[in-house]
């Protein structure tokens, strides 16, 4: 059974980093500021928002599943955190971030209930959850942008600097490091790829596959919620559909990084490279004044091409 969490220096993992470097060099010909420290620092900050979400998405995709509830887990977490922080009550403000992360973990567990217990395909169940969260948000806000604001801590984490490095990037790397240790140093990491390759065989070998799936979806939910907290801190508010632009880029970043969307192989280092590439590509497309519609088409095509390549590799293997 050829399951694996990819090693940090796997050739497949190096591809998105190399592509990012090429994108910077080519883009700088038309936009010289791309080589400036200010521009690169800004891109690290923006990449962190997508990167935190993509860390959780990688965990779920390693299982051979997918989480399409990202947009409104993100949006719901932003709504909860800004609502609590906007009350002005010190106690509620202090609970803003933990409550948002708890919300993400709860939705992650509900996603696992549908996938593990009810045996509904993750694509269908999580899409339905996303729709339910969307409707709940509209009912709560009346369809208007919610009131509230980010706390000082939320704003600092999203926009602050530590020795000139964006705090959001530091947080992203911290999350990546913790999850990498979990994947490479614990049985949980080995079970993820094993389940993604063959869930039934892994279960018959004595692994509690339901527990692994529940933990994976909970982690993904927390990461999406953390992304929402960061975005709310960056914008100093929550707003309708703030998570919608992150679904396709998140999946694209994971598959570009070499994680098989069919499950069984991949890793976080490649996803980091994928996030860098997607962030820079989005920036270049914006500079070129490419519309949001064409950007979505681009991300969709990237996902389809990578899925085709991975399918062919799996058949050859």
């Amino acid at each position: 059974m050829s399951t694996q969490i990819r090693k940090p220096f796997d050739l497949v993992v190096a591809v998105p980093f190399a592509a990012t470097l090429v994108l910077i060099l080519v883009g700088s010909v038309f936009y010289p500021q791309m080589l400036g420290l200010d521009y690169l620092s800004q891109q690290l900050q923006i990449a962190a928002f997508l990167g935190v979400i993509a860390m959780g998405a990688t965990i779920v995709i390693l299982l051979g599943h997918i989480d399409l509830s990202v947009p409104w887990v993100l949006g719901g977490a932003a709504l909860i955190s800004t609502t609590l922080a906007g009350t002005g009550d010190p106690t509620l403000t202090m609970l803003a971030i933990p409550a948002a992360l708890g919300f993400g973990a709860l939705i992650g567990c509900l996603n696992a209930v549908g996938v593990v217990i009810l045996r509904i395909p993750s694509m269908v169940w999580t899409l339905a959850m996303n729709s339910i969260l969307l409707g709940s948000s509209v009912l709560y806000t009346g369809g208007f942008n919610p009131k509230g604001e980010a706390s000082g801590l939320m704003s600092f984490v999203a926009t602050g600097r530590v020795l000139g490095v964006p705090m959001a990037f530091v947080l992203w790397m911290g999350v990546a490091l913790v999850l990498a240790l979990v994947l490479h140093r614990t049985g949980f990491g080995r079970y993820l790829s094993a389940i993604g390759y063959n869930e039934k065989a892994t279960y018959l070998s004595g692994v509690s596959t339901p527990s692994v799936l529940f933990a994976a979806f909970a982690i993904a939910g927390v990461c999406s919620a953390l992304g929402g907290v960061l975005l709310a801190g960056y914008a100093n508010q929550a707003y309708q559909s703030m998570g919608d632009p992150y679904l396709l880029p998140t999946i694209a970043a994971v598959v570009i990084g070499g994680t098989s969307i069919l499950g069984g192989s991949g890793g976080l280092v490649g996803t980091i490279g994928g996030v860098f590439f997607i962030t820079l590509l989005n920036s270049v497309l914006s500079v070129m004044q490419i519309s949001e519609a064409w950007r979505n088409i681009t991300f969709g095509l990237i996902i389809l091409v990578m899925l085709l390549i991975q399918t062919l590799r799996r058949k050859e293997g």
Side-chain angles (χ1 to χ4, degrees):
M1 186 179 296
S2 58
T3 63
Q4 63 172 324
I5 300 295
R6 291 198 185 280
K7 297 178 180 180
F9 299 107
D10 193 305
L11 181 61
V12 175
V13 170
V15 170
F17 290 97
T20 300
L21 181 59
V22 170
L23 193 59
I24 292 174
L25 295 176
V26 173
S28 65
V29 174
F30 304 96
Y31 187 60
Q33 291 91 328
M34 286 189 71
L35 295 177
L37 290 179
D38 289 341
Y39 175 85
L40 293 176
S41 176
Q42 182 187 40
Q43 294 309 303
L44 287 180
Q45 182 182 36
I46 295 172
F49 304 149
L50 174 62
V52 167
I53 302 167
M55 295 296 96
T58 303
I59 301 297
V60 170
I61 291 176
L62 276 170
L63 289 168
H65 291 285
I66 196 164
D67 183 0
L68 300 182
S69 66
V70 166
W72 277 98
V73 173
L74 186 160
L79 178 61
I80 290 171
S81 59
T82 54
T83 297
L84 291 176
T87 62
D89 185 313
T91 301
L92 294 179
T93 299
M94 186 171 58
L95 292 174
I97 296 178
L101 299 183
F103 166 78
L106 173 62
I107 300 302
C109 289
L110 290 177
N111 283 335
V113 167
V115 174
V116 178
I117 298 177
L118 302 180
R119 307 304 295 177
I120 297 174
S122 57
M123 180 178 293
V124 177
W125 180 267
T126 58
L127 185 61
M129 285 299 300
N130 189 69
S131 182
I132 291 170
L133 293 173
L134 165 60
S136 300
S137 173
V138 171
L139 287 175
Y140 177 74
T141 63
F144 300 98
N145 282 339
K147 297 180 180 179
E149 60 183 21
S151 67
L153 178 59
M154 291 167 62
S155 296
F156 170 72
V157 173
T159 63
R161 294 284 193 275
V162 176
L163 301 177
V165 180
M167 184 62 194
F169 176 74
V170 174
L171 176 63
W172 173 28
M173 290 297 100
V175 171
L177 177 61
V178 170
L179 290 180
L181 290 174
V182 170
L183 290 184
H184 292 278
R185 303 288 184 179
T186 69
F188 176 77
R190 294 190 295 274
Y191 300 152
L192 280 176
S193 57
I195 291 171
Y197 190 83
N198 192 322
E199 181 175 350
K200 185 176 181 180
T202 306
Y203 177 76
L204 292 176
S205 70
V207 176
S208 177
T209 56
S211 299
V212 176
L213 267 73
F214 265 88
F217 274 98
I219 290 171
V222 170
C223 287
S224 294
L226 182 56
V229 170
L230 288 173
L231 282 170
Y234 183 74
N236 198 35
Q237 63 175 339
Y239 52 89
Q240 296 290 341
S241 303
M242 68 187 303
D244 288 351
Y246 284 86
L247 180 57
L248 277 178
T250 295
I251 299 171
V254 175
V255 297
I256 288 172
T259 296
S260 172
I261 205 166
L262 303 176
S265 67
L268 297 173
V269 175
T271 297
I272 292 173
V275 169
F276 285 146
F277 177 77
I278 290 296
T279 301
L280 265 297
L281 177 62
N282 204 15
S283 177
V284 170
L285 293 176
S286 296
V287 170
M288 296 172 62
Q289 298 183 341
I290 303 298
S291 69
E292 184 70 25
W294 281 106
R295 275 182 266 176
N296 284 333
I297 290 172
T298 300
F299 297 141
L301 287 173
I302 289 173
I303 293 171
L304 289 176
V305 170
M306 292 302 297
L307 177 58
L308 178 61
I309 292 172
Q310 290 173 2
T311 302
L312 293 174
R313 279 182 179 173
R314 194 146 177 157
K315 287 181 179 179
E316 291 175 358

